[in-house]
Amino acid sequence: MDVFIPAAPISPLRQRLIDDMTMREFSRSTQNNYIRDVGRFATFLGRSPATATAEDVRRFQVEQREAGVPLPTMNAIVSALRFFFTHTVDRPDLARKLVKVTYPRKLPVVLSPDEVARLLGATTCLKHQAALSVAYGAGLRVAEVAHLKVSDIDSERMLIRVERGKGGQYRNAMLAADLLTLLREWWKAGRQQGVMYPKGWLFPGMHAGKPISTRQLHRVVVEAARTAEIAKRVGPHTLRHSFATHLLEDGVDIRVIQALLGHAKLDNTAFYTKVATRTVRTVTSPLDKLGLFMPDQGTLGG
């Protein structure tokens, strides 16, 4: 005989945190991450995080570092706790005690235009090819691609409306003519398959009422890269990195790229200058201008 076990009730403090995040239109994934990370701190304390002291916060961060918690994870927890202390329990004094750790960013993996073409050509169906083409052609994050609706495609203004970008921000992304052609082909095919609706998801999942998952899109990219014999370690975000880098190499103003990517800080966009190899090759070294050395005088690099 099955016994019904009711779900554990949500504590008033946790509900308050959820309400604070919902009011600010945080995405579901961000809310889940914040709840998890505040829960980590509560487990460390062994009591309500609302009763924390400055010493508790310090000990928590020291223990995390000694336990070998990855630095990006530590910084993500800091963001969650700062929000909790600032907005949910009105303890900004504790929020100021939290320390974000600086660490060198790894250079992103970027595909060449030829590799992008091979990857897109190696997809197994029109839906997947269209989804990855949006990621590259408009520079969207994987979650943004997954949650696009048919109505977000504005063919008159040649824009893609990204309603819920990172941090709940709204923006317009570019819609290339070739991408629009591909999306129209997918629209026709999707209608014939009975999975596309005027007010529905642009890329439906297993059920038309739900969008494709980010996990599925990741698998699609990995499998396509394997088929295309691309040895680099790639994921959906690789296409966004490639979009930004290729625009930079083509001479597009970095502030324009910042707006297209939806970056809040120019520093995040400027990071792509480190991988824009074509841009480096267009610069003339001051040594070359001296004219001291003649070309083809040896075999180094020949």
Side-chain angles (χ1 to χ4, degrees), residues 157-174:
R157 297 194 299 159
M158 296 302 290
L159 297 172
I160 299 176
R161 179 172 170 77
V162 184
E163 291 195 357
R164 291 295 300 275
K166 189 174 183 180
Q169 299 296 314
Y170 293 76
R171 77 177 192 280
N172 288 321
M174 63 186 297

Side-chain angles (χ1 to χ4, degrees), residues 69-107:
V69 176
L71 299 184
T73 302
M74 288 182 63
N75 286 343
I77 295 173
V78 166
S79 296
L81 291 177
R82 280 181 178 173
F83 180 88
F84 173 76
F85 287 132
T86 301
H87 300 286
T88 303
V89 296
D90 194 21
R91 292 289 307 278
D93 56 308
L94 293 186
R96 289 192 294 270
K97 296 294 184 181
L98 291 158
V99 179
K100 279 203 170 185
V101 185
T102 58
Y103 57 93
R105 290 178 60 183
K106 292 182 179 180
L107 290 177

Side-chain angles (χ1 to χ4, degrees), residues 120-190:
L120 296 178
T123 51
T124 57
C125 69
L126 188 57
K127 179 175 76 171
H128 294 164
Q129 185 181 53
L132 300 192
S133 295
V134 169
Y136 173 68
L140 268 57
R141 301 176 179 91
V142 62
E144 294 170 345
V145 173
H147 289 88
L148 284 176
K149 295 183 177 179
V150 173
S151 57
D152 292 329
I153 306 302
D154 187 343
S155 59
E156 291 186 3
R157 297 194 299 159
M158 296 302 290
L159 297 172
I160 299 176
R161 179 172 170 77
V162 184
E163 291 195 357
R164 291 295 300 275
K166 189 174 183 180
Q169 299 296 314
Y170 293 76
R171 77 177 192 280
N172 288 321
M174 63 186 297
L175 174 61
D178 285 353
L179 180 56
L180 177 59
T181 299
L182 177 60
L183 290 176
R184 281 174 169 165
E185 291 180 11
W186 161 234
W187 164 255
K188 293 177 182 177

Side-chain angles (χ1 to χ4, degrees), residues 14-121:
R14 179 170 175 171
Q15 186 60 56
R16 183 180 177 85
L17 172 61
I18 293 172
D19 292 341
D20 288 339
M21 293 188 291
T22 302
M23 180 171 59
R24 290 165 177 80
E25 296 188 340
F26 282 17
S27 68
R28 179 62 61 85
S29 62
T30 299
Q31 292 193 32
N32 289 338
N33 291 340
Y34 276 27
I35 291 169
R36 179 199 62 210
D37 292 340
V38 173
R40 285 184 180 182
F41 182 58
T43 299
F44 167 81
L45 287 179
R47 63 181 194 276
S48 171
T51 65
T53 65
E55 180 60 20
D56 290 330
V57 171
R58 189 192 72 82
R59 287 192 305 107
F60 175 64
Q61 288 207 275
V62 169
E63 183 178 282
Q64 281 192 311
R65 188 62 182 265
E66 292 177 345
V69 176
L71 299 184
T73 302
M74 288 182 63
N75 286 343
I77 295 173
V78 166
S79 296
L81 291 177
R82 280 181 178 173
F83 180 88
F84 173 76
F85 287 132
T86 301
H87 300 286
T88 303
V89 296
D90 194 21
R91 292 289 307 278
D93 56 308
L94 293 186
R96 289 192 294 270
K97 296 294 184 181
L98 291 158
V99 179
K100 279 203 170 185
V101 185
T102 58
Y103 57 93
R105 290 178 60 183
K106 292 182 179 180
L107 290 177
V109 174
V110 173
L111 301 178
S112 69
D114 175 68
E115 287 174 325
V116 173
R118 285 161 47 201
L119 186 143
L120 296 178

